[in-house]
């Protein structure tokens, strides 16, 4: 829109004197200690009499007030108390800082051999910036932390309520069909790759039947660890690693839900993590050949985050590490589709992780952070129901990670038993 110059002159002709008058009033009050009401009455009278009053009221309403507003406080206190009106960006920025802080509570960022890092480098930086800001703005941080904790407590109480059986919240299926809404609420897309509404179609992903029968005598579920050496903040030995989590998840799925589970403990990140996925591939192929009844593959990991980040929710009264589902798209922004990493089961892999993410979000809000999408394949191509899941991070205790296996087993059962299908 183009404004005529004469209108601009009129606006400044009316408002500029008001700015000068306000400045003079404040200066005189401070320098001469003149009675507040005397200066205020003069300022208000001048403002009302000036033709630019309406402009001031519209653009800077905090400069227009009643004398009674200042009876028990100074002009400086008044301006500070009404700063959100004087500078609306101030209030908006404070709100954004709280949202950024909340977001950083669930952002990982550790590099990982062939994966090239599960998240962008910015993820780890965000956690560091959060700590830096807290030190630099210590006084303001106290009230903001209360706001953040209140939101987290609400999420934790909701997650605890899920253990009683029913859904805590329900996402509109109509909204899920909006690609932007879907991405914003359920996914994080790595900068190395891209996706679109054809690939992530909520209606199509939810329509896929991911259920399996529990009557089978041979193993139906395979649990393994591409990175078997991943441990936790207080792990004492190899038994308190992701392999220990696999043992507990196996018991839960078998004893509580009636599945037959094979827990494979092969080590593919020894002596180092380089090419761990390639080293694991032949063993996985042999396991599937020897156990043709396997219908579900779960690669159980532990994530890496900035040292100041804690991935914890209170679920069932227990401090519980949060999880993250992970998919490779066999597609990078630089290369496009990667032919030598073709995944014939990609659409089913995405449907499986999405159904699990939706179930986790509705029954245990806050437990699963999001589904992370990256460019490569990660051995998820072997079966339609192949899953890579990150449990907590190096900053979690082993017990917090163990506690996560309970809601994870329940969410797996809800999808694999067909309970979540509508």
């Amino acid at each position: 829109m183009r404004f005529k110059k004469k209108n601009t002159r009129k606006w400044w002709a009316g408002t500029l004197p008001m700015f000068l008058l306000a400045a003079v009033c404040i200066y005189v009050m401070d320098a001469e200690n003149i009675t507040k009401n005397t200066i205020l009455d003069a300022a208000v009278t001048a403002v009302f009499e000036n033709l630019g009053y309406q402009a001031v009221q519209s653009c800077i309403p905090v400069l227009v007030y009643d004398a009674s507003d200042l009876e028990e406080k100074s002009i400086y206190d008044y301006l500070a108390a009404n700063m959100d009106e004087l500078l609306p960006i101030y209030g908006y920025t404070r709100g954004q800082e709280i949202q950024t802080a909340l977001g950083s509570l669930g952002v990982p960022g550790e590099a990982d051999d062939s994966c090239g890092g599960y998240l962008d480098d910015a993820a780890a930086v965000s956690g560091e910036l959060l700590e830096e800001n807290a030190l630099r703005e210590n006084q303001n941080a106290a009230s903001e932390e209360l706001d953040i904790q209140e939101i987290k407590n609400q999420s934790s109480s909701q997650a605890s309520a899920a253990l009683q059986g029913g859904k805590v919240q329900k996402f509109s299926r109509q909204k899920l069909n909006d690609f932007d809404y879907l991405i914003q609420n359920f996914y994080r897309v790595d900068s190395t790759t891209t996706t679109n509404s054809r690939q992530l179609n909520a209606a199509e992903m939810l329509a896929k039947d991911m259920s399996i029968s529990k009557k089978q005598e041979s193993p139906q579920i395979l649990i393994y660890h591409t990175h078997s050496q991943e441990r936790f903040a207080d792990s004492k030995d190899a038994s308190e690693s992701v392999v220990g989590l696999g043992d507990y998840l196996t018991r839960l799925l078998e004893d509580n839900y009636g599945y037959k589970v094979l827990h494979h403990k092969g080590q593919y990140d020894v002596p180092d993590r380089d090419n761990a996925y390639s080293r694991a591939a032949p063993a996985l192929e042999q396991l599937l050949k020897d156990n043709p009844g396997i219908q579900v593959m779960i690669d159980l990991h532990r994530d890496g985050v900035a040292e100041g980040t804690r991935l914890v929710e209170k679920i069932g009264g227990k401090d519980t590490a949060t999880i993250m589902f992970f998919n490779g798209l066999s597609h990078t922004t630089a290369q496009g589709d990667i032919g030598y990493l073709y995944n014939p089961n990609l659409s089913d892999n995405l449907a499986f992780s999405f159904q699990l993410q939706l179930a986790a979000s509705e029954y245990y809000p806050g437990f699963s952070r999001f589904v992370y999408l990256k460019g490569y394949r990660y051995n998820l191509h072997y079966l339609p129901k192949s899953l890579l899941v990150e449990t907590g991070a190096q900053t979690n205790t082993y017990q917090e990670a163990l506690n996560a296996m309970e809601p994870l087993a329940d969410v797996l059962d809800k999808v694999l038993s067909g309970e979540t299908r509508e």
Side-chain angles (χ1 to χ4, degrees):
M1 181 179 290
R2 196 181 184 111
F3 293 98
K4 295 181 180 179
K5 187 177 291 187
K6 64 179 182 179
N7 290 338
T8 303
R9 288 199 185 104
K10 283 184 179 180
W11 187 87
W12 280 108
T15 57
L16 185 57
M18 295 305 95
F19 287 110
L20 295 175
L21 179 59
V24 170
C25 288
I26 294 173
Y27 173 80
V28 172
M29 287 174 65
D30 185 63
E32 304 296 334
N33 196 27
I34 298 176
T35 304
K36 290 184 291 185
N37 287 340
T38 301
I39 294 298
L40 186 61
D41 290 343
V44 171
T45 300
V47 169
F48 269 94
E49 291 176 350
N50 192 282
L51 295 177
Y53 169 75
Q54 294 298 329
V56 175
Q57 186 180 42
S58 300
C59 299
I60 313 179
V62 75
L63 291 180
V64 182
Y65 43 75
D66 294 328
S68 60
D69 291 336
L70 293 180
E71 286 180 357
E72 297 182 358
K73 53 187 174 183
S74 70
I75 184 66
Y76 307 106
D77 291 334
Y78 176 83
L79 291 175
N82 291 274
M83 188 60 70
D84 285 352
E85 293 182 48
L86 178 61
L87 294 174
I89 190 65
Y90 172 79
Y92 173 78
T93 301
R94 280 175 55 84
Q96 289 299 103
E97 287 174 353
I98 293 175
Q99 291 302 317
T100 300
L102 283 173
S104 73
L105 295 174
V107 178
E110 182 181 67
D112 177 44
D113 65 282
S114 60
C115 297
Y118 283 155
L119 294 186
D120 298 334
D121 292 339
V125 173
S126 69
E128 295 168 4
L129 288 177
L130 178 61
E131 295 179 65
E132 197 174 301
N133 290 339
L135 291 174
R136 189 170 59 247
E137 303 176 4
N138 192 43
Q139 293 180 342
N140 291 336
S143 61
E144 290 179 5
E145 287 173 3
L146 289 175
D147 293 336
I148 294 169
Q149 190 58 48
E150 182 179 351
I151 295 172
K152 281 181 61 61
N153 287 342
Q154 292 174 356
S155 178
S156 296
S157 63
Q158 287 179 328
S160 298
L163 293 178
Q164 305 303 317
K167 288 183 180 180
V168 174
Q169 63 180 345
K170 183 176 174 62
F171 287 86
S172 164
R173 274 34 181 181
Q174 182 177 1
K175 284 187 176 181
L176 293 177
N177 288 325
D178 181 331
F179 179 70
D180 291 335
Y181 177 85
L182 184 70
I183 286 289
Q184 291 169 11
N185 287 276
F186 291 89
Y187 290 93
R188 298 293 184 275
V189 183
D190 189 84
S191 62
T192 61
T193 194
T194 57
T195 187
N196 55 54
S197 59
R198 293 188 303 277
Q199 187 169 64
L200 298 180
N201 183 302
E204 292 180 1
M205 291 190 291
L206 292 176
K208 290 182 180 289
D209 185 0
M210 291 291 154
S211 63
I212 64 175
S213 172
K214 298 183 181 182
K215 297 179 180 180
Q216 185 175 305
E217 293 302 321
S218 60
Q220 307 144 298
I221 300 173
L222 169 65
I223 297 174
Y224 69 101
H225 315 274
T226 303
H227 299 141
S228 62
Q229 304 305 300
E230 290 174 330
R231 301 186 185 184
F232 298 89
D234 59 350
S235 295
K236 300 179 181 64
D237 52 44
S239 67
E240 296 185 346
S241 66
V242 291
V243 177
L245 301 186
D247 284 334
Y248 188 38
L249 182 58
T250 297
R251 291 200 303 273
L252 290 169
L253 290 172
E254 290 187 334
D255 298 344
N256 294 0
Y257 299 100
Y259 296 101
K260 306 296 188 301
V261 182
L262 172 61
H263 183 200
H264 175 63
K265 303 180 183 181
Q267 298 181 350
Y268 306 107
D269 53 345
V270 176
D272 56 55
R273 294 161 67 97
D274 292 341
N275 302 310
Y277 288 92
S278 297
R279 286 200 291 266
L284 296 176
E285 292 169 5
Q286 188 61 48
L287 285 168
L288 292 175
K289 182 179 179 180
D290 296 341
N291 301 275
I294 290 177
Q295 302 175 60
V296 180
M297 296 177 67
I298 302 173
D299 188 4
L300 192 57
H301 288 249
R302 181 228 72 198
D303 207 351
V305 298
E307 287 299 323
T309 300
R310 290 271 291 142
L311 306 177
V312 179
E313 283 287 339
K314 187 78 74 174
I315 298 179
K318 301 177 182 179
D319 286 336
T320 302
T322 57
I323 65 170
M324 179 180 76
F325 299 119
F326 183 99
N327 282 105
L329 300 181
S330 297
H331 174 98
T332 66
T333 305
Q335 297 175 263
D337 292 341
I338 306 175
Y340 67 89
L341 294 178
Y342 175 65
N343 181 355
N345 293 309
L346 178 57
S347 62
D348 286 311
N349 292 167
L350 291 170
F352 190 37
S353 62
F354 176 63
Q355 289 188 25
L356 290 166
Q357 177 68 24
L358 181 59
S361 298
E362 293 189 329
Y363 287 90
Y364 302 96
F367 172 56
S368 181
R369 291 172 280 159
F370 41 73
V371 180
Y372 196 78
L373 304 179
K374 202 169 170 68
Y376 301 102
R377 189 172 61 180
Y378 311 101
N379 287 338
L380 296 174
H381 61 296
Y382 288 116
L383 291 176
K385 288 182 277 292
S386 291
L387 180 70
L388 193 159
V389 57
E390 303 277 356
T391 304
Q394 84 283 2
T395 55
N396 286 101
T397 66
Y398 179 61
Q399 187 60 54
E400 289 168 348
L402 274 181
N403 292 342
M405 296 300 98
E406 296 168 11
L408 175 58
D410 188 46
V411 168
L412 282 165
D413 178 62
K414 289 183 186 307
V415 172
L416 294 175
S417 68
E419 181 181 336
T420 55
R421 297 202 73 204
E422 294 184 359

